[in-house]
Amino acid sequence: MWNRLNKSMMFCQMMFGLSFYGVMVILTRFFLEDLGYSEADTMMVVGAFSSIGPLFAIAGGFIADKFLGAYRSLTIAYLTFAIGYLLLILGSSATNVPMSLVGIALASYGRGLMSPSYPSLYKRTFASQEDFENGYPVNYSVNNIGALLGQYLFPMFVLVIGFHGSFTLSAVMATLALVTLIIFRKPLVGVAANIDQKPVGIANWVAFIALSAGMVGLVFFMFSNMDIGQNIVYAIGGAAILYFISLMFKSGKSAALKMGTILIMTVLTTCFFVYYGQMMTSMTMVTINTMRGDLFGFIPIAPEASMAMNPLWCILAGPVISYTFSKLEKRGITLSTASKIGIAFIFTAIAFGILTMAVMNVGTDVIIRPETFFVIHFFQAFAEVIVGSLVVAFILSVAPKHIENFSVSLFYIAMALSGIIGAVFSTSIALEKGQAITQEVVQTVYGDYFQMLTILAVVMVAIAFVSSFIIRKMLESAQRHEPELVEADATA
């Protein structure tokens, strides 16, 4: 199952996790302290940074399908990361807000190029769909090794080498991934789709450059004007979904039914990632304001680095989930992807229930121990790996081949929409600069908010299991119309 191609790609994935999430974890303090942003504005920018990249997976999927192919898109993505981090270096050294915003705009766009291209190319390095589905959760864990190290170590790096030094490390790691892709160019192109194996015409390069310049400019505008920017996210996400629906009506019965299941999964994924996005926004603010002490009394951890506990558990969760579901299938117990998402929401409800109890019962010292967040991230990480790895595999298994990359981009659209929605929700608990952190503030402001999220997570459990039944019926009907799908794909 494993070979040098998928191993080399997983190295690139780890470099992405280490560099991107290392940058993300220090952005909160960077904007709060160096750039002088308020809590509400900081949460919106950091929330947007985590979500606008997936939003531009729409453009990434379109570019990979129509202009460049997955390999070229992925290579350019890592080049874009390196340039974006370079601008962050310059922006932090000169305390230059516009330059810093351009840097994170480029990094966001690079993520958009990478997101649909990586799984599409990665899938082709395996001998079968089954090997890919079993291997993708492991790839997710590899990504989280990088995320763990980045989120844990970068807050400490800032104390020693400053923000500009930390951004430099990210630029170096993005460059290493870029070099790896260049070294393995020939064999990766050999297994890639036909578009990667053909030369790109001048017209396509011009169109790509023009589109990219427009997208980066749009991202910069969105970061600079978040009130308008969030509406742009809604508009782009909605337009992409409407376009996907229009393709459904143009497809045969079988393809339309399968594409309909993708839409249902997109809705479930959006709801789930509203919870995931809290880790970068509301939960980070809670830890900065309340988390004190060393983990287990001897592991030093900065408050904003608490999200490093998430990839720590994700590293474990990937192989465990892959092993568990494989064993169940060998025993004849097959759970649908939507049912697995229902299980993920059970874990999420438990995680946010624990967080609600922690803030509701905080003492007069207003301190929550790191061990509490360690347990919270255990449940949320298992939920994340289920949704993050299995939904993409599901989409690739049912999507028509001629819109495969665009179909995958719907997963990242869900992440983008949920990131902005979650960030908007999080601003309801933003405190004014200089406001005292008291027991009453934590219990009422934070407590009521996380209690609401816990209740909604329980509701989503029921919705996910109902969706599982609907999806199963749709796929059974699609199977009966399979000849139509074969004919449609041949025509395309």
Side-chain angles (χ1 to χ4, degrees), residues 378-445:
F378 168 82
F379 289 102
Q380 189 60 11
F382 271 76
E384 177 196 341
V385 172
I386 290 173
V387 177
S389 62
L390 300 181
V391 170
V392 172
F394 172 83
I395 291 174
L396 287 171
S397 70
V398 300
K401 298 303 179 184
H402 61 287
I403 55 168
E404 183 179 79
N405 288 305
F406 180 74
S407 298
V408 170
S409 74
L410 289 185
F411 172 80
Y412 299 101
I413 291 168
M415 291 181 65
L417 292 173
S418 63
I420 294 296
I421 294 169
V424 171
F425 285 174
S426 295
T427 58
S428 65
I429 65 168
L431 305 178
E432 298 294 330
K433 277 189 175 293
Q435 183 174 346
I437 307 298
T438 65
Q439 182 184 35
E440 182 182 4
V441 168
V442 172
Q443 289 177 338
T444 57
V445 177

Side-chain angles (χ1 to χ4, degrees), residues 209-276:
I209 293 171
L211 178 62
S212 297
M215 292 296 100
V216 173
L218 181 60
V219 176
F220 174 76
F221 174 80
M222 293 166 68
F223 279 124
S224 303
N225 305 271
M226 284 308 306
D227 289 339
I228 301 175
Q230 70 186 53
N231 293 324
I232 294 175
V233 172
Y234 301 146
I236 294 175
I241 292 172
L242 288 175
Y243 175 67
F244 187 79
I245 292 174
S246 73
L247 295 178
M248 286 176 56
F249 285 110
K250 297 176 183 178
S251 302
K253 181 74 171 180
S254 179
L257 286 167
K258 290 185 176 183
M259 292 168 72
T261 67
I262 294 175
L263 283 178
I264 295 174
M265 296 300 293
T266 300
V267 173
L268 293 176
T269 303
T270 301
C271 294
F272 174 80
F273 276 103
V274 168
Y275 288 89
Y276 173 82

